[in-house]
Amino acid sequence: MEGLRKRSIALQPQLAAAQGNEGARSRPRLRKLLRPQDIIRRKRDGRELSRDEIQFFVRGVTSGAIADYQSTALLMAIFLKGMTDAEQAALTEAMLHSGEILDFSDIPKPKADKHSTGGVGDKTSLLIAPFAAAAGVCVPMISGRGLGHTGGTLDKLESIPGYRVDLSLKEFRAVLDQSGFAMNGQTAEIAPADKKLYALRDATATVEAIPLIVASIISKKGAAGLDAMVIDVKTGSGAFMREQDRARALASALVTTGNSLGVRSQALITDMNQPLGRAVGNSIEVLECIELLRGEIHGGARPVLELSIELAARMIVLSGLEASVDSARARIEKLHSSGAALECFRQNVAAQGGDPRVCDDPAGVLPLTAKSIKVESPRSGFVVKVETEEIGHAIAEAGGGRVRMEDQIDPAVGFLAEVKIGAELRAGDQIGMVYCDDSDRGPRAAARIQAAYEIAESPPAQLPPLIKEVID
């Protein structure tokens, strides 16, 4: 538990500020009775919450003592009024300690992970984990489900028949030993407060609040006992942080909080002004990733591979296994071309109960549909803009995501994009293809996606770079 002790020490200066100037600790004082409505009212009125109030709230969420409608009221108040650095630190610590802190200190490898703030077609975790694991990093990945217009890593993985993302801590550890990486969701043992709040944020349009994002990410990653962490902060029309200034603010907050917990952290601000790669939707995103691992690289999917290599390389450097990003990239490229990364992925699929034949015949194993609707360009010209969030919502509404918390996902629903920003089209040319068995939902999604592509007479002045900034 030495790592946990260091993290607690690192947080003490910030947490002391959260308590305010209360005088000598030895002086006795009456402890007032805390009530959810009083805490909601204080934050609603823009006042700073104490550490005790925040801990009371997180404990109540975890135990179920605080009702969902009270939790969502406080989430909205935080969204509207924000949090101070001291409140942010207290919230992160409380969520971190709402469950068990995993201890992998006996595994003789550096422990590292990557987190993305989410985007449309963002599937890099499925490549980064085997890349880093094959390079000698232990990757205990605690992931999430679809949130808003974005897909979730767990939902994608569950499209592999039999694949389990509800591992017990004992099973989680066993998978790490077998394949070098494990993919799991928040459980009753791991960051349970975040598991509850994650779902409520999605249902109450409070996803974009920076304090809630930071606490969510760092509590999961801190609970996984990491040494290092790379964060992919998306910006653009398909990101929660559409403006680059807000993406930069989030990236800085994540890096600062991660480092304060003793987790070596770095963030990249990356483009989400169009779907990442070609595939949007659970099964076809897994298909795209396995094809990339197999060396079957379609031009439109290349950005997925490039970004995955970059993020994995930085994980390897932060883990101390390579001295430079260039040497780490070269190491990953060798592991990719040799098939070692694919074999690592195969071992993980088998260890988590999935069908490992998916690595040999992904199209034959994954739940896909042949029923498709063509998305055509309504006019001739150049693609100058993509309202990427609309594409995510269209696929979710067609059954490929969640509109309500209780919705079931159809893993076969998806969109395959054939063009990028800057492409020249003639009227009737194919923008992409929607895959959906529902004869009503499929055409509606296709029409919505068609409207998301802006076609102009002249090409765009510049193409969006994939990697915009690095935040240390």
Side-chain angles (χ1 to χ4, degrees):
M1 299 302 287
E2 179 64 19
L4 175 57
R5 187 184 70 82
K6 290 179 180 178
R7 293 186 178 100
S8 297
I9 291 172
L11 276 173
Q12 284 174 4
Q14 298 176 65
L15 295 176
Q19 298 176 54
N21 184 17
E22 299 177 0
R25 292 179 181 271
S26 59
R27 185 170 61 214
R29 61 186 177 90
L30 293 175
R31 187 182 184 91
K32 74 172 185 177
L33 178 66
L34 295 176
R35 302 189 308 163
Q37 56 266 46
D38 295 330
I39 297 173
I40 294 166
R41 184 180 298 109
R42 282 175 59 82
K43 181 47 63 180
R44 179 202 69 187
D45 294 342
R47 299 169 65 186
E48 184 172 4
L49 301 180
S50 70
R51 181 188 182 193
D52 285 346
E53 288 171 324
I54 290 171
Q55 288 180 333
F56 171 81
F57 167 67
V58 172
R59 283 196 299 266
V61 168
T62 306
S63 67
I66 293 179
D68 284 357
Y69 59 82
Q70 293 174 313
S71 298
T72 55
L74 185 56
L75 290 175
M76 184 59 72
I78 292 171
F79 178 85
L80 295 173
K81 299 297 183 178
M83 293 186 109
T84 65
D85 289 345
E87 287 177 300
Q88 172 73 85
L91 178 62
T92 303
E93 191 218 21
M95 290 175 60
L96 171 65
H97 291 286
S98 67
E100 292 195 31
I101 308 296
L102 306 186
D103 184 6
F104 300 124
S105 57
D106 58 324
I107 296 178
K109 296 179 181 179
K111 273 66 72 176
D113 195 5
K114 159 265 176 188
H115 183 85
S116 171
T117 57
V120 178
D122 180 15
K123 56 193 79 72
T124 58
S125 291
L126 277 67
L127 297 179
I128 291 168
F131 283 160
V137 179
C138 173
V139 186
M141 190 172 282
I142 308 297
S143 299
R145 295 197 176 274
L147 189 64
H149 64 280
T150 70
T153 298
L154 302 182
D155 299 317
K156 302 181 206 303
L157 289 167
E158 283 185 331
S159 67
I160 300 174
Y163 197 101
R164 290 182 54 217
V165 295
D166 59 349
L167 305 175
S168 68
L169 293 184
K170 182 177 180 180
E171 291 171 323
F172 190 67
R173 169 57 190 262
V175 173
L176 279 175
D177 287 337
Q178 291 177 57
S179 62
F181 75 94
M183 316 284 267
N184 212 31
Q186 303 99 294
T187 69
E189 300 162 307
I190 304 171
D194 181 62
K195 183 180 182 182
K196 183 67 173 290
L197 293 177
Y198 195 86
L200 292 175
R201 286 166 55 209
D202 188 18
T204 57
T206 55
V207 169
E208 298 92 338
I210 287 179
L212 300 176
I213 296 173
V214 172
S216 173
I217 294 171
I218 301 300
S219 66
K220 288 196 295 284
K221 300 308 180 184
L226 299 180
D227 300 310
M229 170 175 59
V230 174
I231 307 152
D232 181 8
V233 179
K234 302 293 187 185
T235 188
S237 65
F240 292 121
M241 298 296 165
R242 295 172 74 99
E243 298 82 19
Q244 193 163 332
D245 286 348
R246 278 183 55 77
R248 187 181 301 112
L250 173 60
S252 297
L254 286 165
V255 169
T256 297
T257 306
N259 284 329
S260 76
L261 289 170
V263 181
R264 294 185 294 277
S265 303
Q266 187 178 71
L268 276 66
I269 300 177
T270 67
D271 183 66
M272 187 40 65
N273 281 297
Q274 56 189 331
L276 181 62
R278 301 173 71 210
V280 180
N282 294 295
S283 286
I284 63 171
E285 288 190 39
V286 175
L287 174 63
E288 183 170 86
C289 287
I290 293 175
E291 288 176 343
L292 288 170
L293 285 171
R294 288 169 56 85
E296 301 163 6
I297 303 171
H298 185 283
R302 187 168 291 279
V304 180
L305 180 61
E306 292 174 356
L307 183 57
S308 299
I309 290 174
E310 185 70 20
L311 292 166
R314 292 175 183 276
M315 281 174 60
I316 289 169
V317 172
L318 288 175
S319 297
L321 296 180
E322 290 288 348
S324 71
V325 176
D326 286 343
S327 61
R329 285 194 207 99
R331 184 169 178 171
I332 293 168
E333 288 165 359
K334 183 176 180 180
L335 292 166
H336 180 217
S337 61
S338 70
L342 176 64
E343 183 57 31
C344 186
F345 185 81
R346 185 197 307 275
Q347 291 172 0
N348 172 266
V349 170
Q352 296 202 210
D355 186 344
R357 294 176 302 170
V358 74
C359 296
D360 304 309
D361 181 21
V365 173
L366 292 167
L368 302 167
T369 178
K371 190 170 183 179
S372 60
I373 304 96
K374 185 178 179 182
V375 180
E376 298 181 348
S377 176
R379 63 186 66 86
S380 297
F382 297 86
V383 179
V384 295
K385 183 180 179 182
V386 182
E387 191 52 54
T388 312
E389 182 177 346
E390 272 294 289
I391 296 175
H393 283 308
I395 293 304
E397 187 180 28
R402 293 182 183 84
V403 178
R404 298 180 302 272
M405 283 169 45
E406 63 271 19
D407 288 346
Q408 295 296 312
I409 288 179
D410 180 350
V413 171
F415 170 61
L416 200 62
E418 298 292 353
V419 298
K420 300 286 187 185
I421 292 175
E424 184 175 8
L425 298 171
R426 294 171 298 177
D429 280 355
Q430 185 167 306
I431 290 174
M433 196 75 74
V434 169
Y435 293 90
C436 182
D437 285 325
D438 190 296
S439 58
D440 293 324
R441 289 180 169 186
R444 284 203 304 269
R448 195 169 178 178
I449 290 172
Q450 183 189 56
Y453 282 79
E454 183 177 331
I455 313 297
E457 293 182 359
S458 302
Q462 60 182 15
L463 302 180
L466 182 59
I467 298 173
K468 298 177 179 292
E469 294 183 53
V470 178
I471 306 293
D472 292 304

